[in-house]
Amino acid sequence: MAGPVIGAHRLGAPSSGFPHNASMSEANPSRPSAMALAGVRVLDLSRVLAGPWCTQTLADLGADVIKVERPPGDGHPGGDDTRGWGPPYLKDRDGEDTAEAAYYLGANRNKRSIAIDIASPQGQALIRELALRADVLVENYKVGDLARYGLDAPTLLALNPGLVFCSVTGFGQTGPYRDRAGYDYAVQGLGGLMSVTGEADALPGGGPQKVGVAVADLFTGMYATVAILAALRHRDATGQGQVVDMALLDTQVAMLANLGANYLTTGKAPRRMGNAHQNIVPYQVFQASDSHLIVAVGNDGQFARFCELLGLAELPRDPRYATNAQRVRHRDALVPLLAERIATRPRDHWLAAMEAAKVPGGAVNDLSEVFADEQVLHRGMVVGMDHPLSDSLRVVASPMKLSHTPVAYRLPPPLMGQHTDEVLAELGHGPEAIAAWRQDGVIG
């Protein structure tokens, strides 16, 4: 790949050490790279979601991500566990299920897959060889597991001092929970999210509720991406790599955001409030005569306009409802008045009136409506990709829109081990060595 790069070296070339190739600050702004992370090489030893979400983001921005997967054997089908997390599965050209689960396809585009048995000495040697030529390594093994294979951060940083080594675990590399396995669902509960998600206990359907997508995993993947980019910036300035220690629980606590701040300010734990907001009223879902809509009033002026379009212009003059602080204190009296009026007309009537009055709100769409929405379509949030097994692969696009270094969809989510021979050849290994390793089960 041509152009200014963050990364230090290409596959097949020995590590030159500091100084690295042109840093961000040295890049000529009049001749931007085709992709922001062109030249950055990422060795991806992660699986499932948090790690792969991070590495897919880096890959979307142009990094060469080499995904290391387990070869089949000993009763294990091989590969990232999510390959089998279906149905649904990608359909082949005859309309039959492939072995590629939609879950896997959603987090692994723009990567190359190699199958290496890291439990074998030769497999470990190949990983070290790859790490020597990498800018970033991302892994989500249990704490201490990689040390058994000589693939831990101290070992690899001694070989490649400029390496950014990112570990993603449930609870981090330190602390009393460090040896526990961490899963998004459990962390949503342990980290407080389920205590503020779901309907109030006293109401039908009340009780703890997880978020519908694995938000602890996804947020951890995104925070990991930010931390890696910061570490690369530091590496380019100093030549010094470092360890990035990402924990799902840390991230879950951080993403409590205003609710965490509410507790630390008052000492009072927020409670579940269903679709209502803890600090703003009215800011919730209402039932119209035909379906649901969201009202997201953010200030007193919007509240006055909302009441006027409802035919309730007297409410903002009531001292109980004149300010947001008062509306929060008196929500139990106010919300039923609004709900009663909203229930008299269809959703689209209210949404059109709110749009005209510049009152924020929106529909509650299912995914068929989301992917048919004119704004979603206009923004190109669905991308078709060529796939070795199918002509029908569509993926959710990256939301990142960069004017000079746009995201590119270069590679479909790879088949397991699809690029093993290609990557090993780039390291300088010939066909005979590759065939022998495959015969011995070192590679798949």
Side-chain angles (χ1 to χ4, degrees), residues 175-197:
Y177 298 170
R178 65 190 292 270
D179 294 323
R180 293 186 185 181
Y183 299 92
D184 175 274
Y185 199 160
V187 168
Q188 285 195 38
L190 187 62
L193 185 61
M194 291 175 64
S195 76
V196 294
T197 303

Side-chain angles (χ1 to χ4, degrees), residues 421-434:
D421 291 18
E422 173 182 302
V423 171
L424 294 182
E426 290 172 2
L427 290 174
H429 299 295
E432 291 184 1
I434 294 172

Side-chain angles (χ1 to χ4, degrees), residues 56 134 152 160 232 330 355 374-375 386:
Q56 177 171 267
D152 53 306
N160 180 0
L232 284 173
H330 298 285
E355 178 70 19
E374 60 181 352
Q375 182 68 16
D386 293 330

Side-chain angles (χ1 to χ4, degrees), residues 13-35:
S15 174
S16 59
F18 183 75
H20 297 290
N21 284 359
S23 70
M24 294 181 193
S25 61
E26 294 170 328
N28 182 348
S30 67
R31 299 181 60 191
S33 169
M35 299 197 74

